[in-house]
């Protein structure tokens, strides 16, 4: 009777160990997929940040050029020049944010 009981306990223990191992594998897979999703979200956030900085610089340049043309009467040259300057500023901001070009204040920190 005691042997049957010990065998029953051993079977239950082995079954529980197998279930626990499968749960651990599932948890590992879930952690890996969550880590991949987080990397994907960070990339999407970076892309949105870079694109919004670029578009904002172009829009600011165009608006300032339009306002300059309205008040000074230099149409269309103010708009053209400041639109191009806004484009250049947008490209520079994107390159700085991406880490391709150093920030101007980084040289002072050394």
């Amino acid at each position: 009777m005691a042997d049957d009981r010990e065998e029953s306990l051993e079977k239950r223990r082995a079954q529980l160990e197998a279930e626990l191992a499968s749960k651990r594998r599932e948890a590992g897979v879930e952690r890996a997929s969550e880590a991949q999703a987080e990397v994907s979200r960070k990339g999407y956030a970076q892309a949105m940040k870079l694109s919004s900085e670029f578009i904002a610089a172009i829009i600011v340049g165009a608006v300032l050029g339009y306002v300059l043309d309205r008040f000074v009467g230099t149409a269309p040259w103010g708009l053209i020049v400041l639109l191009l300057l806004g484009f250049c500023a947008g490209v520079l901001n994107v390159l700085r944010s991406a880490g391709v070009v150093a920030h101007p204040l980084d040289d002072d920190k050394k």
Side-chain angles (χ1 to χ4, degrees), residues 52-76:
S52 64
E53 284 182 5
F54 181 67
I55 302 242
I58 292 174
I59 290 173
V60 167
V63 168
L64 289 176
Y66 177 77
V67 169
L68 180 73
D69 284 341
R70 286 293 266 173
F71 289 114
V72 179
T74 59

mmCIF file of all heavy atoms in Angstrom, residues 52-76:
data_model
loop_
_atom_site.group_PDB
_atom_site.id
_atom_site.type_symbol
_atom_site.label_atom_id
_atom_site.label_comp_id
_atom_site.label_asym_id
_atom_site.label_seq_id
_atom_site.Cartn_x
_atom_site.Cartn_y
_atom_site.Cartn_z
ATOM 1 N N SER A 52 8.368 63.974 -38.067
ATOM 2 C CA SER A 52 7.681 65.190 -37.603
ATOM 3 C C SER A 52 8.657 66.359 -37.490
ATOM 4 O O SER A 52 8.295 67.499 -37.802
ATOM 5 C CB SER A 52 6.980 64.941 -36.274
ATOM 6 O OG SER A 52 7.915 64.652 -35.262
ATOM 7 N N GLU A 53 9.895 66.107 -37.062
ATOM 8 C CA GLU A 53 10.890 67.182 -37.012
ATOM 9 C C GLU A 53 11.184 67.714 -38.411
ATOM 10 O O GLU A 53 11.308 68.925 -38.614
ATOM 11 C CB GLU A 53 12.183 66.684 -36.375
ATOM 12 C CG GLU A 53 12.123 66.544 -34.889
ATOM 13 C CD GLU A 53 13.446 66.102 -34.288
ATOM 14 O OE1 GLU A 53 14.447 65.999 -35.033
ATOM 15 O OE2 GLU A 53 13.474 65.873 -33.074
ATOM 16 N N PHE A 54 11.303 66.818 -39.371
ATOM 17 C CA PHE A 54 11.604 67.219 -40.742
ATOM 18 C C PHE A 54 10.460 68.048 -41.328
ATOM 19 O O PHE A 54 10.675 69.126 -41.881
ATOM 20 C CB PHE A 54 11.853 65.965 -41.590
ATOM 21 C CG PHE A 54 12.200 66.257 -43.014
ATOM 22 C CD1 PHE A 54 13.384 66.877 -43.332
ATOM 23 C CD2 PHE A 54 11.340 65.894 -44.032
ATOM 24 C CE1 PHE A 54 13.711 67.150 -44.645
ATOM 25 C CE2 PHE A 54 11.651 66.154 -45.337
ATOM 26 C CZ PHE A 54 12.845 66.779 -45.656
ATOM 27 N N ILE A 55 9.242 67.581 -41.182
ATOM 28 C CA ILE A 55 8.076 68.286 -41.741
ATOM 29 C C ILE A 55 7.877 69.629 -41.035
ATOM 30 O O ILE A 55 7.537 70.622 -41.680
ATOM 31 C CB ILE A 55 6.828 67.405 -41.619
ATOM 32 C CG1 ILE A 55 7.084 66.117 -42.349
ATOM 33 C CG2 ILE A 55 5.584 68.137 -42.056
ATOM 34 C CD1 ILE A 55 6.282 65.731 -43.497
ATOM 35 N N ALA A 56 8.094 69.667 -39.728
ATOM 36 C CA ALA A 56 7.908 70.917 -38.987
ATOM 37 C C ALA A 56 8.888 71.977 -39.454
ATOM 38 O O ALA A 56 8.516 73.153 -39.603
ATOM 39 C CB ALA A 56 8.068 70.669 -37.492
ATOM 40 N N ALA A 57 10.134 71.596 -39.703
ATOM 41 C CA ALA A 57 11.127 72.565 -40.169
ATOM 42 C C ALA A 57 10.741 73.126 -41.537
ATOM 43 O O ALA A 57 10.868 74.339 -41.783
ATOM 44 C CB ALA A 57 12.505 71.917 -40.221
ATOM 45 N N ILE A 58 10.237 72.295 -42.415
ATOM 46 C CA ILE A 58 9.826 72.762 -43.745
ATOM 47 C C ILE A 58 8.628 73.698 -43.629
ATOM 48 O O ILE A 58 8.582 74.756 -44.281
ATOM 49 C CB ILE A 58 9.508 71.562 -44.662
ATOM 50 C CG1 ILE A 58 10.792 70.799 -44.958
ATOM 51 C CG2 ILE A 58 8.843 72.020 -45.948
ATOM 52 C CD1 ILE A 58 10.580 69.521 -45.728
ATOM 53 N N ILE A 59 7.661 73.349 -42.802
ATOM 54 C CA ILE A 59 6.461 74.185 -42.645
ATOM 55 C C ILE A 59 6.823 75.536 -42.032
ATOM 56 O O ILE A 59 6.338 76.579 -42.488
ATOM 57 C CB ILE A 59 5.397 73.446 -41.806
ATOM 58 C CG1 ILE A 59 4.834 72.290 -42.627
ATOM 59 C CG2 ILE A 59 4.291 74.387 -41.363
ATOM 60 C CD1 ILE A 59 3.899 71.381 -41.862
ATOM 61 N N VAL A 60 7.689 75.533 -41.028
ATOM 62 C CA VAL A 60 8.103 76.799 -40.413
ATOM 63 C C VAL A 60 8.819 77.671 -41.430
ATOM 64 O O VAL A 60 8.566 78.885 -41.520
ATOM 65 C CB VAL A 60 8.993 76.536 -39.179
ATOM 66 C CG1 VAL A 60 9.688 77.804 -38.722
ATOM 67 C CG2 VAL A 60 8.163 75.958 -38.053
ATOM 68 N N GLY A 61 9.700 77.089 -42.234
ATOM 69 C CA GLY A 61 10.390 77.859 -43.268
ATOM 70 C C GLY A 61 9.413 78.442 -44.284
ATOM 71 O O GLY A 61 9.537 79.605 -44.686
ATOM 72 N N ALA A 62 8.432 77.657 -44.700
ATOM 73 C CA ALA A 62 7.452 78.131 -45.681
ATOM 74 C C ALA A 62 6.594 79.253 -45.099
ATOM 75 O O ALA A 62 6.341 80.269 -45.774
ATOM 76 C CB ALA A 62 6.572 76.979 -46.137
ATOM 77 N N VAL A 63 6.163 79.106 -43.858
ATOM 78 C CA VAL A 63 5.319 80.135 -43.235
ATOM 79 C C VAL A 63 6.109 81.429 -43.046
ATOM 80 O O VAL A 63 5.602 82.520 -43.337
ATOM 81 C CB VAL A 63 4.740 79.624 -41.894
ATOM 82 C CG1 VAL A 63 4.113 80.746 -41.100
ATOM 83 C CG2 VAL A 63 3.728 78.523 -42.154
ATOM 84 N N LEU A 64 7.337 81.313 -42.564
ATOM 85 C CA LEU A 64 8.151 82.529 -42.404
ATOM 86 C C LEU A 64 8.422 83.205 -43.747
ATOM 87 O O LEU A 64 8.410 84.444 -43.845
ATOM 88 C CB LEU A 64 9.461 82.200 -41.696
ATOM 89 C CG LEU A 64 9.352 81.846 -40.227
ATOM 90 C CD1 LEU A 64 10.719 81.443 -39.681
ATOM 91 C CD2 LEU A 64 8.772 82.989 -39.430
ATOM 92 N N GLY A 65 8.664 82.413 -44.787
ATOM 93 C CA GLY A 65 8.877 82.981 -46.114
ATOM 94 C C GLY A 65 7.631 83.677 -46.636
ATOM 95 O O GLY A 65 7.709 84.765 -47.221
ATOM 96 N N TYR A 66 6.469 83.082 -46.414
ATOM 97 C CA TYR A 66 5.221 83.686 -46.851
ATOM 98 C C TYR A 66 4.969 85.004 -46.117
ATOM 99 O O TYR A 66 4.591 86.015 -46.727
ATOM 100 C CB TYR A 66 4.067 82.710 -46.615
ATOM 101 C CG TYR A 66 2.724 83.283 -46.984
ATOM 102 C CD1 TYR A 66 2.338 83.369 -48.320
ATOM 103 C CD2 TYR A 66 1.843 83.750 -46.011
ATOM 104 C CE1 TYR A 66 1.109 83.902 -48.657
ATOM 105 C CE2 TYR A 66 0.624 84.276 -46.346
ATOM 106 C CZ TYR A 66 0.250 84.352 -47.674
ATOM 107 O OH TYR A 66 -0.952 84.883 -47.997
ATOM 108 N N VAL A 67 5.207 84.989 -44.802
ATOM 109 C CA VAL A 67 5.005 86.213 -44.006
ATOM 110 C C VAL A 67 5.978 87.296 -44.454
ATOM 111 O O VAL A 67 5.594 88.472 -44.593
ATOM 112 C CB VAL A 67 5.154 85.898 -42.495
ATOM 113 C CG1 VAL A 67 5.231 87.171 -41.677
ATOM 114 C CG2 VAL A 67 4.008 85.027 -42.031
ATOM 115 N N LEU A 68 7.210 86.925 -44.705
ATOM 116 C CA LEU A 68 8.199 87.904 -45.188
ATOM 117 C C LEU A 68 7.761 88.490 -46.528
ATOM 118 O O LEU A 68 7.843 89.719 -46.735
ATOM 119 C CB LEU A 68 9.572 87.228 -45.316
ATOM 120 C CG LEU A 68 10.696 88.135 -45.817
ATOM 121 C CD1 LEU A 68 11.092 89.118 -44.724
ATOM 122 C CD2 LEU A 68 11.877 87.318 -46.267
ATOM 123 N N ASP A 69 7.298 87.644 -47.426
ATOM 124 C CA ASP A 69 6.836 88.120 -48.725
ATOM 125 C C ASP A 69 5.634 89.057 -48.596
ATOM 126 O O ASP A 69 5.541 90.046 -49.323
ATOM 127 C CB ASP A 69 6.470 86.948 -49.636
ATOM 128 C CG ASP A 69 7.688 86.260 -50.207
ATOM 129 O OD1 ASP A 69 8.769 86.872 -50.199
ATOM 130 O OD2 ASP A 69 7.542 85.107 -50.666
ATOM 131 N N ARG A 70 4.719 88.762 -47.694
ATOM 132 C CA ARG A 70 3.530 89.603 -47.520
ATOM 133 C C ARG A 70 3.884 90.991 -47.006
ATOM 134 O O ARG A 70 3.324 91.983 -47.460
ATOM 135 C CB ARG A 70 2.551 88.964 -46.529
ATOM 136 C CG ARG A 70 1.806 87.783 -47.055
ATOM 137 C CD ARG A 70 0.865 88.132 -48.142
ATOM 138 N NE ARG A 70 -0.473 88.384 -47.612
ATOM 139 C CZ ARG A 70 -1.444 88.833 -48.361
ATOM 140 N NH1 ARG A 70 -1.249 89.088 -49.619
ATOM 141 N NH2 ARG A 70 -2.616 89.030 -47.842
ATOM 142 N N PHE A 71 4.805 91.047 -46.043
ATOM 143 C CA PHE A 71 5.107 92.340 -45.424
ATOM 144 C C PHE A 71 6.184 93.131 -46.155
ATOM 145 O O PHE A 71 6.149 94.360 -46.155
ATOM 146 C CB PHE A 71 5.497 92.155 -43.959
ATOM 147 C CG PHE A 71 4.342 91.777 -43.097
ATOM 148 C CD1 PHE A 71 4.280 90.533 -42.493
ATOM 149 C CD2 PHE A 71 3.284 92.661 -42.887
ATOM 150 C CE1 PHE A 71 3.196 90.169 -41.701
ATOM 151 C CE2 PHE A 71 2.203 92.307 -42.103
ATOM 152 C CZ PHE A 71 2.162 91.058 -41.508
ATOM 153 N N VAL A 72 7.139 92.464 -46.751
ATOM 154 C CA VAL A 72 8.233 93.175 -47.417
ATOM 155 C C VAL A 72 7.949 93.331 -48.901
ATOM 156 O O VAL A 72 8.440 94.271 -49.533
ATOM 157 C CB VAL A 72 9.574 92.442 -47.163
ATOM 158 C CG1 VAL A 72 10.725 93.132 -47.858
ATOM 159 C CG2 VAL A 72 9.844 92.334 -45.676
ATOM 160 N N GLY A 73 7.179 92.446 -49.475
ATOM 161 C CA GLY A 73 6.838 92.521 -50.895
ATOM 162 C C GLY A 73 7.893 91.912 -51.786
ATOM 163 O O GLY A 73 8.095 92.380 -52.910
ATOM 164 N N THR A 74 8.580 90.897 -51.312
ATOM 165 C CA THR A 74 9.634 90.261 -52.104
ATOM 166 C C THR A 74 9.164 88.977 -52.776
ATOM 167 O O THR A 74 9.978 88.120 -53.108
ATOM 168 C CB THR A 74 10.833 89.925 -51.191
ATOM 169 O OG1 THR A 74 10.388 89.067 -50.159
ATOM 170 C CG2 THR A 74 11.468 91.168 -50.639
ATOM 171 N N ALA A 75 7.859 88.846 -52.994
ATOM 172 C CA ALA A 75 7.305 87.603 -53.534
ATOM 173 C C ALA A 75 7.990 87.231 -54.825
ATOM 174 O O ALA A 75 8.264 88.089 -55.651
ATOM 175 C CB ALA A 75 5.808 87.764 -53.745
ATOM 176 N N PRO A 76 8.249 86.031 -55.056
ATOM 177 C CA PRO A 76 8.198 84.791 -54.292
ATOM 178 C C PRO A 76 9.541 84.425 -53.655
ATOM 179 O O PRO A 76 9.729 83.322 -53.194
ATOM 180 C CB PRO A 76 7.834 83.752 -55.338
ATOM 181 C CG PRO A 76 8.579 84.192 -56.557
ATOM 182 C CD PRO A 76 8.521 85.711 -56.483
#
